Amino acid sequence: MSLTIPGFHAVVPAGGAGTRLWPLSRAGHPKFLLDLTGSGRTLLQATVDRLLPLTGAGGVLVVTGTRHSAAVAEQLPELGEADVLAEPSARDSMAAIGLAAAVLLERHGEDVVLGSFAADHVIDGTEAFQRTVREGVVAARAGHVVTIGIAATGPSTAFGYVRSGANLGLDDAPTVTRAADFTEKPDAATATAYLATGEYRWNAGMFIVRARVLLDHLATQLPTLAVGLQEIAAAWDGPDRVEVLDRVWPGLTKIAIDHAIAEPVAAAGGVAVVPGDFTWDDIGDFDSLAQLLTTDTLGDEGLVLRIGADGAFVVPGTGRTLSVIGLPDAVVVDTPDAVLVTTRAHAQSVKAAVDAWRARDREDLL
């Protein structure tokens, strides 16, 4: 049986600087272009590897910034030139996904269904992932905006949550329920209370929806943004792309799809949740990266010496040796122009270093 889902296209937003993984991840070479798992494939390549069997050739569309488009094309030779949409500047996830939806609508017509999957997530459990996407497509064809709710492994404060409501009763998507509401990153006590109800899952920011349904919702919520994206999409494959893009793109509303679509449409009963019972991680910081790997070293273990430093996560990135003494659960990242020393408990605070160097006008480090 073919794995390909007819009429389904995958959209991969590839943006962001991954500032909590600095100095490995930089604005000019962000985490989705890195191999952070030791698999020999970058996070972006692994994402496309996972999606192509479901879409078939020509079914994956990557949306990225102009500064990254050449690197994306180099890493993904299986994609054609038309499969990479380059944004002139970052306008957040709604503009990126909305542009892809509008372009897909122009190219493939009213029945096209898209699934949006970030370029920098790690997923383990291929069959479970594919089953989840298939049910999501069924619910999307029924008119819903579908989000994938990840089974929480603990009361994390690093993720948002989605609450499941009544089952939708779809024959070919038996596990899909209505989304009752979305919640931003809660404190630990609130997250614990959520999980105790059995109604909450992590919101992984993966959406499946008919392109027309998404753009119709956007036209209701943010009509100017919807009009601008459709104007750009109408010109994308023609001679006027650059002119229209330069004129319209800078004025587009900068907003996340969660705030623009998911939250207001969920409040009106139009969002569904399909449970994803596969292993998922967005590698949000060095502590989560350390937990993901089977070793506490990303790189050559022979370059690292630990004495009284159990659990210290070390990244030897320059070829020189690193000795960590008396610092359990430390994080040491060595790159040619920057060294980071922190602890796994403070891994979420690494972004503060990026902000501080930016305040000192050290853009060369960012």
Side-chain angles (χ1 to χ4, degrees):
M1 184 183 72
S2 173
L3 292 176
T4 304
I5 303 172
F8 175 65
H9 289 254
V11 174
V12 180
T19 50
R20 288 182 178 84
L21 289 173
W22 180 89
L24 278 188
S25 181
R26 312 284 183 107
H29 199 68
K31 67 175 181 175
F32 64 82
L33 293 174
L34 305 175
D35 174 10
L36 294 180
T37 65
S39 68
R41 301 288 281 171
T42 67
L43 299 184
L44 172 64
Q45 289 171 325
T47 299
V48 173
D49 290 346
R50 187 163 53 245
L51 294 169
L52 273 177
L54 295 175
T55 67
V60 174
L61 203 61
V62 178
V63 187
T64 192
T66 52
R67 70 185 301 187
H68 301 133
S69 58
V72 167
E74 182 180 355
Q75 288 198 4
L76 300 172
E78 62 269 41
L79 268 57
E81 183 178 346
D83 299 328
V84 179
L85 306 185
E87 306 171 308
S89 61
R91 306 306 298 165
D92 218 322
S93 59
M94 186 66 256
I97 297 168
L99 173 62
V103 169
L104 288 172
L105 200 63
E106 290 282 339
R107 291 176 178 174
H108 302 287
E110 295 287 327
D111 291 332
V112 66
V113 174
L114 68 92
S116 173
F117 306 92
D120 54 5
H121 293 178
V122 174
I123 288 174
D124 186 25
T126 301
E127 289 187 10
F129 174 76
Q130 292 172 347
R131 186 168 58 250
T132 298
V133 172
R134 288 181 186 283
E135 286 204 31
V137 171
V138 171
R141 292 199 186 284
H144 302 279
V145 177
V146 184
T147 186
I148 296 177
I150 302 296
T153 57
S156 175
T157 60
F159 306 132
Y161 288 75
V162 58
R163 182 164 67 92
S164 299
N167 190 285
L168 290 181
L170 298 172
D171 289 342
D172 294 325
T175 68
V176 179
T177 64
R178 197 170 301 283
D181 58 62
F182 290 87
T183 308
E184 293 293 325
K185 299 175 183 178
D187 58 35
T190 304
T192 300
Y194 284 168
L195 298 189
T197 68
E199 298 176 354
Y200 287 84
R201 285 175 170 257
W202 289 335
N203 173 25
M206 295 183 274
F207 296 96
I208 304 172
V209 61
R210 285 180 56 214
R212 171 52 65 197
V213 168
L214 180 68
L215 293 170
D216 285 350
H217 281 309
L218 188 60
T220 300
Q221 303 296 331
L222 295 166
T224 303
L225 178 55
V227 168
L229 290 173
Q230 288 174 98
E231 182 180 359
I232 293 170
W236 192 269
D237 291 325
D240 299 328
R241 179 203 300 179
V242 174
E243 182 276 318
V244 174
L245 198 56
D246 289 347
R247 173 170 50 82
V248 178
W249 187 265
L252 297 181
T253 304
K254 189 173 184 179
I255 187 172
I257 190 172
D258 303 75
H259 302 314
I261 298 292
E263 292 166 4
V265 175
V271 177
V273 183
V274 56
D277 293 325
F278 45 82
T279 303
W280 167 88
D281 201 297
D282 72 345
I283 317 185
D285 58 36
F286 283 110
D287 182 51
S288 64
L289 176 57
Q291 293 179 54
L292 188 68
L293 301 177
T294 57
T295 172
D296 284 333
T297 301
L298 180 61
D300 187 351
E301 183 69 57
L303 296 173
V304 179
L305 176 67
R306 295 177 184 81
I307 300 175
D310 291 347
F313 182 67
V314 184
V315 183
T318 63
R320 61 187 166 191
T321 59
L322 296 176
S323 305
V324 186
I325 303 171
L327 295 173
D329 294 324
V331 173
V332 181
V333 182
D334 183 29
T335 70
D337 63 343
V339 176
L340 170 72
V341 182
T342 185
T343 65
R344 289 171 64 161
H346 289 84
Q348 279 278 307
S349 301
V350 170
K351 182 178 182 294
V354 176
D355 295 338
W357 285 119
R358 180 178 290 110
R360 294 191 188 185
D361 295 323
R362 290 298 306 269
E363 295 293 326
D364 59 302
L365 294 177
L366 310 182

